[in-house]
Amino acid sequence: MEAEIKNIKEAMFSTAGFRNFVKALLYGIALAASIVLTEYLVENYVKAIIEYKAYLIAIEVLAFGYLIVENLAWGMYKRFKVAVGRGVAAVIRIVTRISGYAVIIASLTSVFNTNPSAALTVGSFAGLVVGFAFQAVLGNAIAGIFLAVSRPFAIGDRIAVKGIKGVVQDIGIMHTIIDTGEDIVLVPSSIIVKEIITKKKRIKEEPKEANE
């Protein structure tokens, strides 16, 4: 557990995925400059296509938005792969993509609709979807950190949680591994935090008296 927390701290300050984040930033700047330039040219020099201005901006948002989202998603994947493993990092990458595309959809809605409430509605719905998608991952991570701090049990303890009885083999950020004697069970950290935990007492051996 302590090793995983250390890996997460190192991941947050590592240079893994840094190139992808820089690319995403540059694409964002390019998108803003492209929109400003399109607005300026259409309004002052090519007024004949002014009715198609929204479509031009939409194409720019889609093209640059895709590049921004993909670079952010891969940057997050590379940053967290070492800390929490490929599986969790892949989930974070998917959630980042969903969030990014939700922002793009909301932006397109505002481009084609002069009513800001429409974009707000789409953005709220997209945020709700992202929240549900990210709930399991974030909930497990927070619960794992809580277990690391509170330490209700340790490796080697015999516990029972949600009908599962066995010896704790490992305590991770996302799961606690329990050996039941027949199977190896991975219990999500969020479930352990919510459930009642029964821990068997360790019998302390009394020190033998020295022979006189």
Side-chain angles (χ1 to χ4, degrees), residues 23-35 38 56-72 100-101 104:
K23 285 183 178 179
L25 177 61
L26 293 177
Y27 284 132
I29 295 173
L31 172 60
S34 178
I35 293 175
T38 300
L56 294 174
I57 294 176
I59 292 173
E60 294 169 352
V61 170
L62 283 173
F64 284 105
Y66 171 79
L67 295 173
I68 292 170
V69 170
E70 286 301 311
N71 276 281
L72 285 177
Y101 292 139
I104 291 175

Side-chain angles (χ1 to χ4, degrees), residues 167-203:
V167 179
V168 177
Q169 296 294 309
D170 190 24
I171 305 171
I173 291 293
M174 304 301 292
H175 299 88
T176 291
I177 301 176
I178 299 177
D179 184 358
T180 65
E182 297 180 355
D183 302 301
I184 299 296
V185 182
L186 279 70
V187 184
S189 299
S190 58
I191 291 180
I192 294 177
V193 170
K194 296 176 183 178
E195 295 293 325
I196 296 175
I197 303 171
T198 303
K199 183 170 69 172
K200 189 174 182 179
K201 291 182 178 180
R202 291 186 176 183
I203 301 175

Side-chain angles (χ1 to χ4, degrees), residues 130-170:
V130 172
F132 278 115
F134 200 62
Q135 183 179 7
V137 177
L138 185 60
N140 272 334
I142 293 176
I145 294 173
F146 176 78
L147 290 176
V149 174
S150 61
R151 296 178 182 275
F153 50 80
I155 294 175
D157 285 347
R158 182 174 293 276
I159 67 172
V161 56
K162 205 173 178 62
I164 300 170
K165 299 179 181 180
V167 179
V168 177
Q169 296 294 309
D170 190 24

Side-chain angles (χ1 to χ4, degrees), residues 5 14 18 27 30 41 61 77 79 132 148 178 188 209-210:
I5 294 177
S14 70
F18 179 75
Y27 284 132
L41 291 177
V61 170
Y77 174 79
R79 176 148 293 196
F132 278 115
I178 299 177
E209 295 181 359

